[in-house]
Amino acid sequence: MCCTYLKGNMNKQSVEIRREFLDFFKLNGCHIAASDSLIPSGDKTLLFTSAGMVQFKKHFLGQSKDSFTRAASCQKCFRTSDIEQVGVTARHLTFFEMLGNFSFGDYFKKEAIPWAWEFLTKNMALPEEKLFITVYKDDAEAEEIWKKIVPSSKITKLGKETNFWNMGDTGPCGPCSEIYFDLGIDVGCKKYSCKVGCDCDRFVEVWNLVFTQFDRQLDGHLKILPRKNIDTGMGLERITAIVQGKKSIFDTDLFLPIIENCTNILNVKNDEKNKLTLRMIADHARAITFLISDGVLPSNEGRGYVLRRILRRALRQGKLFGCHKPFMNELSNCVFAIMICAYPELSSKLKNIKSIVENEEGKFLETLESGSSLLSEIIKSYKSKNLKTIDGRDVFKLHDTYGFPYDLTKEIACECGLSIDEKSFKEEQKNAQKISRSAWSGSGAKDITFYSILHKKFGDTKFVGYDNLKTSAKVLAIIKDVQEVTSLKENEIGEMILSQTSFYGESGGQIGDKGILENTSFKAQIENVSRPISSLFVHKVKVLKGNVNVGDEIFAEVLKNDRKQIARHHSATHLLQSALRDILGDHIAQAGSFVSENLMRFDFTHFSALKKEELIQIEHEINCAIMKNMTVKIENMSINEARTAGATALFGEKYGDIVRVVSIFDGEAKSTYSMELCGGTHIKNTGEIGFFKIISESSVGAGIRRIEATAGTAAQVRVLEQDNLIEKIAELLNSSKYEIVDKLSKHIEDTKLLENEIAKIKSSLISDEVDSYIKNIKQINGMNFLFVAVNDVDIKNLKAISDKLKEKIGNAVLIIVSKNVNKLSFLVSVAKDYVKEGIDASKIAKKFAAKIKGSGGGKPDFAQGGTKNLLNIENAFKNIESLME
């Protein structure tokens, strides 16, 4: 439904609004900052970036080294606090873009307020009569500025509940001023008394201006900040809806194409009955696409759990529409088409995003099948005991262990005349959340608060290790058991902060250096160097002899051979990423790495396992690059220069204005082979790497592959070990190493012949036992049903038993299981005449798989499966006839 207030401006697209906002503030002297990742780079305590100011936290606190003091951005944001309202209201979203302008001790209210008004009324051409203002009741300064722009009747004073921002009980805070847009009397409560502050949807908050001007003390006193800040936020989706004359954000060009695509895929209409669900799916499609683009992958904890939750939430709605196949991955195409202009990085990631989504969808559809079977068992159990309420613990186990949605459980239970004990479910949920949070916070990270205090006390550690492996320094601090001490004695282990260091601190996937600290009074071994705060180097030491005290002058030396080998591996990761992009495509992006003296590991985005031929090709290209002895050039440049030059950045990483760029130049081709932003240590030319050898390629998650490899001396050791292994195999086979393939082939052939003989003997024994099984046949609904349990029989011989039984019995439903040492295998066979009557082997197999906590499936006449969960497996064999129901 369109409004009529913007006839001349309704064709303005969201891409134009986004661009005009940034251009407007650029003209007003603001630095235009690129959107930060949804994984916050500026605040490790946050799960997701939820506001535009997150990436500027250091700027607000006066800790940033950036030169600019005013900025503007269009920030990708993600929140789930109002997830139940998404689609229900005209304004709630999980993924959204926040337009914002900021001041860090620069401009203040007299600039921020008129700029906001100018942009809305001039650039966006919003009618002034539709705009209304709120100010904090005690903010006379903001009120006076607004009175020069709008009549007093348009200004509403509100209290601290809505118009005063606090960071916490103490600390920076300040009043807010909000700009509202009136959608008209026909929206919301429709009362003539309706005004700004009403809970209905008539007045939409467009822009929130936060004036951080106070520092709240412990006693509640508001102390004026010497450095006042501005933090504003305007949702792109809301301003787009208003500018395009829509009463709902879901009717704008940011959502409609996705909703239309969804209706086509699901074969439903976008009518009153379906629109809320379609809107929710469209929102979740946007969120899923951008979360995966920024490196979040489906998992059972942290960010990955949230991603998995919203994907499954949307997929379930599709299933309720009658769609029993993956479809969310297809919506990513539509999201891509809408957002590509603003986020060009999506181009190289789309294929991988779709692959990850489709893979996760497929797994959840299987979960829904097995979960339904488990729920049926639970419902039968409660009904047999005449119980009307299902224990929340049973429901939570279904949800937590099998991923079965709570609301679906509730809906099915209700259909069967049962309710759910929501209190016990929520208690279990809270317990699980506590465990999840403790896992998140207790991930091995150092106590940041403690080291932040040390950083404020001693400042940045000067790093001289790019050019020097030896240096003299002063001991600034000694730490033992997360406490400052004055000294360490012989054999004690602790940490030290030095005035300067040549030791590389663990970061960017590269391990910290090892080495020696000493003076005439003591000697210590450095076991690792960490950087709990990026510019503070903390040396883990073990004192080998003597004592060391705070204030001592010491000499430090990095282990030269280890550093050299680490440098070989780190430069090799750059060659590997370039080779992967050459051979597999531009969608390749680094998803993690580990670089040590013994091994290098590189994680990257890709949608399938690499073929042997591809691995050979990658290894060959890298070794060719090594033999070309390409020059490795390291230089510092501005981030904009680096991006223009085509340098590859680790997505989600936050970079300053000046960055370190590592380039590998191919002299023969007269071109740059690799260029990356990197703070690690490297060799001077690729020839120093020696040679490169891939050890393995594997999956580490949906859409993420891992290559482990070695180079230099570590690769030499690897090859020698393989040579020794081949020699030992040759010795065992009594042959030369060049004959071992032929010898092994002959051994395998002989073994197969023996296995065939054994199989014949087993088959003969099976024939003898079949008659004893037939004695247990039962009649269920006029059909022959037989359950057989055997031991140590493989699936091939289970089929043989099935065939023999069918010869003897004729029409039958057969379930045959075999318990082996580490697993249980089973098959289900249904006579064709029974299939015609509606008996389905695949459904029986899935029900049985659910009972044994395994997997199973197949066709209507034959299915098979198994499990590795053998605990109390015999209990699953009880009441086996119920599988026929």
Side-chain angles (χ1 to χ4, degrees), residues 519-554:
N519 62 21
T520 54
S521 304
F522 96 108
K523 185 175 184 178
Q525 176 178 296
I526 292 188
E527 298 178 342
N528 188 29
V529 181
S530 61
R531 289 161 65 179
I533 294 171
S534 62
S535 49
L536 183 73
F537 288 62
V538 178
H539 306 70
K540 183 180 179 182
V541 302
K542 179 179 181 180
V543 180
L544 301 177
K545 67 174 185 179
N547 299 338
V548 60
N549 303 294
V550 171
D552 283 357
E553 296 288 338
I554 55 93

Side-chain angles (χ1 to χ4, degrees), residues 385-457:
K385 298 170 187 174
N386 291 320
L387 297 172
K388 296 293 183 182
T389 304
I390 300 176
D391 192 320
R393 288 171 292 187
D394 288 334
V395 177
F396 183 76
K397 184 180 178 183
L398 245 167
H399 166 73
D400 191 50
T401 307
Y402 300 99
F404 202 72
Y406 167 78
D407 50 355
L408 184 57
T409 301
K410 187 176 180 181
E411 185 179 317
I412 294 171
C414 184
E415 289 170 1
C416 297
L418 300 177
S419 61
I420 288 170
D421 181 356
E422 293 191 31
K423 185 179 178 182
S424 60
F425 174 83
K426 287 177 180 177
E427 284 173 0
E428 285 296 302
Q429 197 173 39
K430 282 181 182 177
N431 291 335
Q433 286 169 348
K434 284 178 185 176
I435 294 167
S436 178
R437 287 192 191 109
S438 63
W440 176 259
S441 59
S443 59
K446 289 181 176 291
D447 184 344
I448 299 300
T449 305
F450 173 72
Y451 290 98
S452 294
I453 294 169
L454 291 178
H455 182 243
K456 284 180 182 178
K457 186 175 179 180

